[in-house]
Amino acid sequence: MTATQNITATGFPIHNPQTAPEASRQVMEGMQQKMGFIPNLIQIMAESPALAHSYLGLWDIATKNGGLSPEELNFVALVISEHQKCKYCIAAHSNVADTVAPIENEIVAAIREGRSVENPRFEALRIFAIKLYDAQGYVPEPEVNEFIKQGFTRREVLDIVVIIAWKTLSGLTTALTAVDLDAEFEPYKI
């Protein structure tokens, strides 16, 4: 750690591309390209190239190879973020819902408040994602089949597993490191 490098309240380094381990710089550059800035979460994850690459890799896999639409993917990410009570993640995914993968404001407000949503497909996603998260994968087959009867596929069930894994990485990291909210996410602060 350099003398001018910032740290979190819990002592974790906050990297920039010059201070990050060489193996994390590609992730930081990728986030700069995707988002137009490097989120504080990524600046902290950069301390561990394994974590930084895992996080970005899961995001890329889910968005490029998943069966859910970008809006559905972000919706599930927002649902899990709210369920984890990850304030940083809720603000970040609210920003994405407003700018990149648009979701109706009423749906976003309902999720941020922990309420059900009126859109039947999104409500089915919300309920199933929370069940899958809480049950750590042990969702009874009849409940999986009921979810599929609502217009989903087994592929999408497994894609939700990827999103939960992705959100677990960010949720645990934000809790452990006390990451500060980025200025870009401030309008979406909880």
mmCIF file of all heavy atoms in Angstrom, residues 24-43 45 52-53 55-57 59-60 88 92 96 166 182 185:
data_model
loop_
_atom_site.group_PDB
_atom_site.id
_atom_site.type_symbol
_atom_site.label_atom_id
_atom_site.label_comp_id
_atom_site.label_asym_id
_atom_site.label_seq_id
_atom_site.Cartn_x
_atom_site.Cartn_y
_atom_site.Cartn_z
ATOM 1 N N SER A 24 -5.356 -7.240 -11.319
ATOM 2 C CA SER A 24 -6.679 -6.627 -11.163
ATOM 3 C C SER A 24 -6.911 -5.459 -12.110
ATOM 4 O O SER A 24 -8.043 -5.008 -12.269
ATOM 5 C CB SER A 24 -6.869 -6.132 -9.727
ATOM 6 O OG SER A 24 -6.960 -7.221 -8.841
ATOM 7 N N ARG A 25 -5.878 -4.975 -12.722
ATOM 8 C CA ARG A 25 -6.002 -3.772 -13.556
ATOM 9 C C ARG A 25 -6.934 -3.983 -14.748
ATOM 10 O O ARG A 25 -7.678 -3.076 -15.121
ATOM 11 C CB ARG A 25 -4.636 -3.289 -13.997
ATOM 12 C CG ARG A 25 -3.844 -2.765 -12.806
ATOM 13 C CD ARG A 25 -2.478 -2.306 -13.159
ATOM 14 N NE ARG A 25 -1.795 -1.939 -11.911
ATOM 15 C CZ ARG A 25 -0.519 -1.691 -11.822
ATOM 16 N NH1 ARG A 25 0.244 -1.743 -12.900
ATOM 17 N NH2 ARG A 25 0.016 -1.385 -10.662
ATOM 18 N N GLN A 26 -6.928 -5.180 -15.309
ATOM 19 C CA GLN A 26 -7.821 -5.487 -16.435
ATOM 20 C C GLN A 26 -9.285 -5.366 -16.004
ATOM 21 O O GLN A 26 -10.116 -4.851 -16.746
ATOM 22 C CB GLN A 26 -7.533 -6.893 -16.954
ATOM 23 C CG GLN A 26 -8.441 -7.334 -18.066
ATOM 24 C CD GLN A 26 -8.189 -8.778 -18.463
ATOM 25 O OE1 GLN A 26 -7.380 -9.482 -17.873
ATOM 26 N NE2 GLN A 26 -8.911 -9.233 -19.477
ATOM 27 N N VAL A 27 -9.599 -5.810 -14.795
ATOM 28 C CA VAL A 27 -10.965 -5.705 -14.282
ATOM 29 C C VAL A 27 -11.346 -4.236 -14.114
ATOM 30 O O VAL A 27 -12.445 -3.823 -14.492
ATOM 31 C CB VAL A 27 -11.112 -6.461 -12.938
ATOM 32 C CG1 VAL A 27 -12.456 -6.190 -12.300
ATOM 33 C CG2 VAL A 27 -10.899 -7.957 -13.156
ATOM 34 N N MET A 28 -10.437 -3.462 -13.566
ATOM 35 C CA MET A 28 -10.715 -2.038 -13.371
ATOM 36 C C MET A 28 -10.942 -1.343 -14.710
ATOM 37 O O MET A 28 -11.874 -0.548 -14.857
ATOM 38 C CB MET A 28 -9.585 -1.387 -12.577
ATOM 39 C CG MET A 28 -9.465 -1.950 -11.169
ATOM 40 S SD MET A 28 -8.151 -1.181 -10.218
ATOM 41 C CE MET A 28 -9.088 0.158 -9.474
ATOM 42 N N GLU A 29 -10.130 -1.666 -15.701
ATOM 43 C CA GLU A 29 -10.300 -1.093 -17.037
ATOM 44 C C GLU A 29 -11.641 -1.513 -17.641
ATOM 45 O O GLU A 29 -12.327 -0.708 -18.270
ATOM 46 C CB GLU A 29 -9.150 -1.517 -17.942
ATOM 47 C CG GLU A 29 -7.821 -0.904 -17.570
ATOM 48 C CD GLU A 29 -6.633 -1.548 -18.278
ATOM 49 O OE1 GLU A 29 -6.833 -2.414 -19.162
ATOM 50 O OE2 GLU A 29 -5.497 -1.191 -17.925
ATOM 51 N N GLY A 30 -12.007 -2.774 -17.438
ATOM 52 C CA GLY A 30 -13.286 -3.271 -17.944
ATOM 53 C C GLY A 30 -14.465 -2.548 -17.325
ATOM 54 O O GLY A 30 -15.432 -2.204 -18.024
ATOM 55 N N MET A 31 -14.403 -2.287 -16.033
ATOM 56 C CA MET A 31 -15.488 -1.559 -15.374
ATOM 57 C C MET A 31 -15.533 -0.110 -15.846
ATOM 58 O O MET A 31 -16.618 0.447 -16.018
ATOM 59 C CB MET A 31 -15.338 -1.620 -13.851
ATOM 60 C CG MET A 31 -15.583 -2.999 -13.272
ATOM 61 S SD MET A 31 -17.207 -3.690 -13.678
ATOM 62 C CE MET A 31 -18.258 -2.651 -12.709
ATOM 63 N N GLN A 32 -14.375 0.490 -16.058
ATOM 64 C CA GLN A 32 -14.330 1.859 -16.582
ATOM 65 C C GLN A 32 -15.033 1.910 -17.941
ATOM 66 O O GLN A 32 -15.828 2.812 -18.196
ATOM 67 C CB GLN A 32 -12.869 2.321 -16.710
ATOM 68 C CG GLN A 32 -12.705 3.700 -17.309
ATOM 69 C CD GLN A 32 -13.171 4.807 -16.393
ATOM 70 O OE1 GLN A 32 -12.857 4.816 -15.213
ATOM 71 N NE2 GLN A 32 -13.917 5.748 -16.928
ATOM 72 N N GLN A 33 -14.777 0.917 -18.778
ATOM 73 C CA GLN A 33 -15.408 0.869 -20.097
ATOM 74 C C GLN A 33 -16.905 0.615 -19.996
ATOM 75 O O GLN A 33 -17.686 1.238 -20.706
ATOM 76 C CB GLN A 33 -14.760 -0.215 -20.962
ATOM 77 C CG GLN A 33 -13.357 0.120 -21.398
ATOM 78 C CD GLN A 33 -12.688 -1.020 -22.133
ATOM 79 O OE1 GLN A 33 -13.221 -2.118 -22.245
ATOM 80 N NE2 GLN A 33 -11.491 -0.765 -22.637
ATOM 81 N N LYS A 34 -17.325 -0.303 -19.130
ATOM 82 C CA LYS A 34 -18.738 -0.666 -19.007
ATOM 83 C C LYS A 34 -19.575 0.444 -18.378
ATOM 84 O O LYS A 34 -20.703 0.680 -18.779
ATOM 85 C CB LYS A 34 -18.897 -1.943 -18.162
ATOM 86 C CG LYS A 34 -18.478 -3.210 -18.839
ATOM 87 C CD LYS A 34 -18.659 -4.383 -17.896
ATOM 88 C CE LYS A 34 -18.109 -5.660 -18.408
ATOM 89 N NZ LYS A 34 -18.512 -6.060 -19.728
ATOM 90 N N MET A 35 -19.028 1.083 -17.345
ATOM 91 C CA MET A 35 -19.821 2.012 -16.551
ATOM 92 C C MET A 35 -19.415 3.472 -16.689
ATOM 93 O O MET A 35 -20.117 4.350 -16.210
ATOM 94 C CB MET A 35 -19.786 1.586 -15.085
ATOM 95 C CG MET A 35 -20.359 0.188 -14.869
ATOM 96 S SD MET A 35 -20.611 -0.215 -13.149
ATOM 97 C CE MET A 35 -21.955 0.870 -12.718
ATOM 98 N N GLY A 36 -18.256 3.723 -17.262
ATOM 99 C CA GLY A 36 -17.781 5.101 -17.377
ATOM 100 C C GLY A 36 -17.039 5.575 -16.138
ATOM 101 O O GLY A 36 -16.581 6.714 -16.093
ATOM 102 N N PHE A 37 -16.920 4.739 -15.148
ATOM 103 C CA PHE A 37 -16.157 5.018 -13.928
ATOM 104 C C PHE A 37 -15.847 3.680 -13.260
ATOM 105 O O PHE A 37 -16.397 2.651 -13.646
ATOM 106 C CB PHE A 37 -16.926 5.951 -12.977
ATOM 107 C CG PHE A 37 -18.119 5.323 -12.303
ATOM 108 C CD1 PHE A 37 -18.059 4.925 -10.969
ATOM 109 C CD2 PHE A 37 -19.323 5.141 -12.993
ATOM 110 C CE1 PHE A 37 -19.161 4.360 -10.344
ATOM 111 C CE2 PHE A 37 -20.430 4.588 -12.381
ATOM 112 C CZ PHE A 37 -20.342 4.186 -11.050
ATOM 113 N N ILE A 38 -14.971 3.695 -12.282
ATOM 114 C CA ILE A 38 -14.638 2.472 -11.548
ATOM 115 C C ILE A 38 -15.307 2.561 -10.188
ATOM 116 O O ILE A 38 -14.896 3.362 -9.337
ATOM 117 C CB ILE A 38 -13.113 2.288 -11.393
ATOM 118 C CG1 ILE A 38 -12.434 2.280 -12.768
ATOM 119 C CG2 ILE A 38 -12.816 0.992 -10.640
ATOM 120 C CD1 ILE A 38 -10.921 2.355 -12.711
ATOM 121 N N PRO A 39 -16.366 1.780 -9.968
ATOM 122 C CA PRO A 39 -17.067 1.840 -8.685
ATOM 123 C C PRO A 39 -16.146 1.530 -7.498
ATOM 124 O O PRO A 39 -15.187 0.751 -7.618
ATOM 125 C CB PRO A 39 -18.152 0.771 -8.829
ATOM 126 C CG PRO A 39 -18.361 0.633 -10.297
ATOM 127 C CD PRO A 39 -16.999 0.848 -10.899
ATOM 128 N N ASN A 40 -16.443 2.141 -6.375
ATOM 129 C CA ASN A 40 -15.669 1.905 -5.152
ATOM 130 C C ASN A 40 -15.570 0.422 -4.821
ATOM 131 O O ASN A 40 -14.520 -0.046 -4.370
ATOM 132 C CB ASN A 40 -16.293 2.655 -3.976
ATOM 133 C CG ASN A 40 -16.174 4.150 -4.122
ATOM 134 O OD1 ASN A 40 -15.331 4.657 -4.845
ATOM 135 N ND2 ASN A 40 -17.039 4.883 -3.441
ATOM 136 N N LEU A 41 -16.638 -0.319 -5.046
ATOM 137 C CA LEU A 41 -16.622 -1.757 -4.765
ATOM 138 C C LEU A 41 -15.513 -2.448 -5.557
ATOM 139 O O LEU A 41 -14.776 -3.273 -5.009
ATOM 140 C CB LEU A 41 -17.982 -2.374 -5.091
ATOM 141 C CG LEU A 41 -18.090 -3.891 -4.916
ATOM 142 C CD1 LEU A 41 -17.864 -4.285 -3.462
ATOM 143 C CD2 LEU A 41 -19.448 -4.380 -5.403
ATOM 144 N N ILE A 42 -15.360 -2.108 -6.813
ATOM 145 C CA ILE A 42 -14.326 -2.710 -7.653
ATOM 146 C C ILE A 42 -12.938 -2.251 -7.204
ATOM 147 O O ILE A 42 -11.985 -3.033 -7.214
ATOM 148 C CB ILE A 42 -14.556 -2.368 -9.144
ATOM 149 C CG1 ILE A 42 -15.907 -2.918 -9.607
ATOM 150 C CG2 ILE A 42 -13.421 -2.892 -10.018
ATOM 151 C CD1 ILE A 42 -16.096 -4.408 -9.419
ATOM 152 N N GLN A 43 -12.833 -1.004 -6.768
ATOM 153 C CA GLN A 43 -11.546 -0.501 -6.280
ATOM 154 C C GLN A 43 -11.092 -1.271 -5.043
ATOM 155 O O GLN A 43 -9.893 -1.452 -4.826
ATOM 156 C CB GLN A 43 -11.649 0.990 -5.975
ATOM 157 C CG GLN A 43 -11.848 1.826 -7.234
ATOM 158 C CD GLN A 43 -11.962 3.298 -6.923
ATOM 159 O OE1 GLN A 43 -11.133 3.845 -6.201
ATOM 160 N NE2 GLN A 43 -12.986 3.944 -7.459
ATOM 161 N N MET A 45 -12.351 -4.531 -4.317
ATOM 162 C CA MET A 45 -12.169 -5.915 -4.776
ATOM 163 C C MET A 45 -10.821 -6.114 -5.458
ATOM 164 O O MET A 45 -10.274 -7.220 -5.448
ATOM 165 C CB MET A 45 -13.289 -6.318 -5.734
ATOM 166 C CG MET A 45 -14.613 -6.583 -5.080
ATOM 167 S SD MET A 45 -15.812 -7.086 -6.348
ATOM 168 C CE MET A 45 -17.120 -7.738 -5.321
ATOM 169 N N ALA A 52 -11.839 -9.923 -7.751
ATOM 170 C CA ALA A 52 -12.173 -8.975 -8.816
ATOM 171 C C ALA A 52 -12.530 -9.704 -10.111
ATOM 172 O O ALA A 52 -13.544 -9.398 -10.748
ATOM 173 C CB ALA A 52 -11.001 -8.010 -9.042
ATOM 174 N N HIS A 53 -11.733 -10.681 -10.481
ATOM 175 C CA HIS A 53 -12.005 -11.444 -11.706
ATOM 176 C C HIS A 53 -13.261 -12.304 -11.568
ATOM 177 O O HIS A 53 -14.028 -12.437 -12.531
ATOM 178 C CB HIS A 53 -10.800 -12.297 -12.099
ATOM 179 C CG HIS A 53 -9.730 -11.516 -12.785
ATOM 180 N ND1 HIS A 53 -9.735 -11.257 -14.139
ATOM 181 C CD2 HIS A 53 -8.619 -10.913 -12.286
ATOM 182 C CE1 HIS A 53 -8.676 -10.533 -14.448
ATOM 183 N NE2 HIS A 53 -7.984 -10.306 -13.352
ATOM 184 N N TYR A 55 -15.913 -11.665 -9.718
ATOM 185 C CA TYR A 55 -17.068 -10.768 -9.757
ATOM 186 C C TYR A 55 -17.386 -10.338 -11.184
ATOM 187 O O TYR A 55 -18.509 -10.480 -11.656
ATOM 188 C CB TYR A 55 -16.811 -9.547 -8.864
ATOM 189 C CG TYR A 55 -17.991 -8.613 -8.800
ATOM 190 C CD1 TYR A 55 -19.095 -8.923 -8.021
ATOM 191 C CD2 TYR A 55 -18.013 -7.433 -9.532
ATOM 192 C CE1 TYR A 55 -20.203 -8.077 -7.969
ATOM 193 C CE2 TYR A 55 -19.101 -6.578 -9.480
ATOM 194 C CZ TYR A 55 -20.190 -6.905 -8.700
ATOM 195 O OH TYR A 55 -21.270 -6.072 -8.659
ATOM 196 N N LEU A 56 -16.385 -9.809 -11.878
ATOM 197 C CA LEU A 56 -16.615 -9.361 -13.250
ATOM 198 C C LEU A 56 -16.950 -10.546 -14.152
ATOM 199 O O LEU A 56 -17.810 -10.451 -15.027
ATOM 200 C CB LEU A 56 -15.406 -8.599 -13.788
ATOM 201 C CG LEU A 56 -15.591 -7.989 -15.177
ATOM 202 C CD1 LEU A 56 -16.741 -6.982 -15.193
ATOM 203 C CD2 LEU A 56 -14.304 -7.332 -15.649
ATOM 204 N N GLY A 57 -16.300 -11.681 -13.917
ATOM 205 C CA GLY A 57 -16.564 -12.873 -14.725
ATOM 206 C C GLY A 57 -17.994 -13.361 -14.593
ATOM 207 O O GLY A 57 -18.639 -13.695 -15.592
ATOM 208 N N TRP A 59 -20.581 -11.548 -13.758
ATOM 209 C CA TRP A 59 -21.421 -10.538 -14.410
ATOM 210 C C TRP A 59 -21.419 -10.767 -15.922
ATOM 211 O O TRP A 59 -22.462 -10.810 -16.563
ATOM 212 C CB TRP A 59 -20.928 -9.147 -14.059
ATOM 213 C CG TRP A 59 -21.717 -8.021 -14.680
ATOM 214 C CD1 TRP A 59 -22.952 -8.089 -15.290
ATOM 215 C CD2 TRP A 59 -21.338 -6.658 -14.760
ATOM 216 N NE1 TRP A 59 -23.345 -6.847 -15.723
ATOM 217 C CE2 TRP A 59 -22.369 -5.950 -15.410
ATOM 218 C CE3 TRP A 59 -20.228 -5.959 -14.331
ATOM 219 C CZ2 TRP A 59 -22.310 -4.584 -15.646
ATOM 220 C CZ3 TRP A 59 -20.176 -4.591 -14.562
ATOM 221 C CH2 TRP A 59 -21.210 -3.921 -15.212
ATOM 222 N N ASP A 60 -20.214 -10.916 -16.489
ATOM 223 C CA ASP A 60 -20.111 -11.125 -17.930
ATOM 224 C C ASP A 60 -20.825 -12.401 -18.372
ATOM 225 O O ASP A 60 -21.534 -12.399 -19.380
ATOM 226 C CB ASP A 60 -18.649 -11.173 -18.367
ATOM 227 C CG ASP A 60 -17.995 -9.801 -18.407
ATOM 228 O OD1 ASP A 60 -18.722 -8.782 -18.408
ATOM 229 O OD2 ASP A 60 -16.753 -9.750 -18.445
ATOM 230 N N TYR A 88 -25.303 -0.532 -0.460
ATOM 231 C CA TYR A 88 -24.485 -0.181 -1.625
ATOM 232 C C TYR A 88 -25.065 -0.844 -2.872
ATOM 233 O O TYR A 88 -25.251 -0.195 -3.904
ATOM 234 C CB TYR A 88 -23.034 -0.625 -1.413
ATOM 235 C CG TYR A 88 -22.122 -0.253 -2.564
ATOM 236 C CD1 TYR A 88 -21.403 0.932 -2.544
ATOM 237 C CD2 TYR A 88 -21.994 -1.084 -3.670
ATOM 238 C CE1 TYR A 88 -20.579 1.284 -3.602
ATOM 239 C CE2 TYR A 88 -21.173 -0.734 -4.739
ATOM 240 C CZ TYR A 88 -20.466 0.441 -4.693
ATOM 241 O OH TYR A 88 -19.661 0.792 -5.751
ATOM 242 N N ALA A 92 -26.667 0.732 -6.302
ATOM 243 C CA ALA A 92 -26.044 0.451 -7.598
ATOM 244 C C ALA A 92 -27.046 -0.137 -8.581
ATOM 245 O O ALA A 92 -27.127 0.294 -9.741
ATOM 246 C CB ALA A 92 -24.857 -0.492 -7.409
ATOM 247 N N VAL A 96 -28.684 1.150 -12.188
ATOM 248 C CA VAL A 96 -28.729 0.355 -13.424
ATOM 249 C C VAL A 96 -30.163 0.270 -13.940
ATOM 250 O O VAL A 96 -30.407 0.370 -15.146
ATOM 251 C CB VAL A 96 -28.116 -1.043 -13.204
ATOM 252 C CG1 VAL A 96 -28.350 -1.952 -14.403
ATOM 253 C CG2 VAL A 96 -26.629 -0.929 -12.900
ATOM 254 N N TRP A 166 -23.128 -14.096 -7.827
ATOM 255 C CA TRP A 166 -22.566 -12.775 -8.115
ATOM 256 C C TRP A 166 -22.895 -11.801 -6.997
ATOM 257 O O TRP A 166 -22.028 -11.075 -6.490
ATOM 258 C CB TRP A 166 -23.123 -12.321 -9.465
ATOM 259 C CG TRP A 166 -22.748 -10.980 -9.938
ATOM 260 C CD1 TRP A 166 -21.495 -10.443 -10.034
ATOM 261 C CD2 TRP A 166 -23.640 -9.975 -10.426
ATOM 262 N NE1 TRP A 166 -21.560 -9.171 -10.557
ATOM 263 C CE2 TRP A 166 -22.867 -8.864 -10.813
ATOM 264 C CE3 TRP A 166 -25.018 -9.921 -10.592
ATOM 265 C CZ2 TRP A 166 -23.423 -7.708 -11.332
ATOM 266 C CZ3 TRP A 166 -25.576 -8.770 -11.122
ATOM 267 C CH2 TRP A 166 -24.781 -7.687 -11.484
ATOM 268 N N ASP A 182 -20.620 5.381 -4.110
ATOM 269 C CA ASP A 182 -20.087 6.234 -5.168
ATOM 270 C C ASP A 182 -21.001 7.434 -5.377
ATOM 271 O O ASP A 182 -22.226 7.335 -5.210
ATOM 272 C CB ASP A 182 -20.013 5.457 -6.491
ATOM 273 C CG ASP A 182 -19.136 4.234 -6.376
ATOM 274 O OD1 ASP A 182 -17.926 4.365 -6.596
ATOM 275 O OD2 ASP A 182 -19.665 3.153 -6.054
ATOM 276 N N PHE A 185 -23.975 6.824 -7.479
ATOM 277 C CA PHE A 185 -25.088 6.060 -6.893
ATOM 278 C C PHE A 185 -25.819 6.843 -5.796
ATOM 279 O O PHE A 185 -26.853 6.390 -5.302
ATOM 280 C CB PHE A 185 -24.585 4.733 -6.318
ATOM 281 C CG PHE A 185 -23.905 3.826 -7.323
ATOM 282 C CD1 PHE A 185 -22.925 2.955 -6.914
ATOM 283 C CD2 PHE A 185 -24.271 3.842 -8.660
ATOM 284 C CE1 PHE A 185 -22.306 2.108 -7.821
ATOM 285 C CE2 PHE A 185 -23.654 3.000 -9.577
ATOM 286 C CZ PHE A 185 -22.663 2.132 -9.159
#
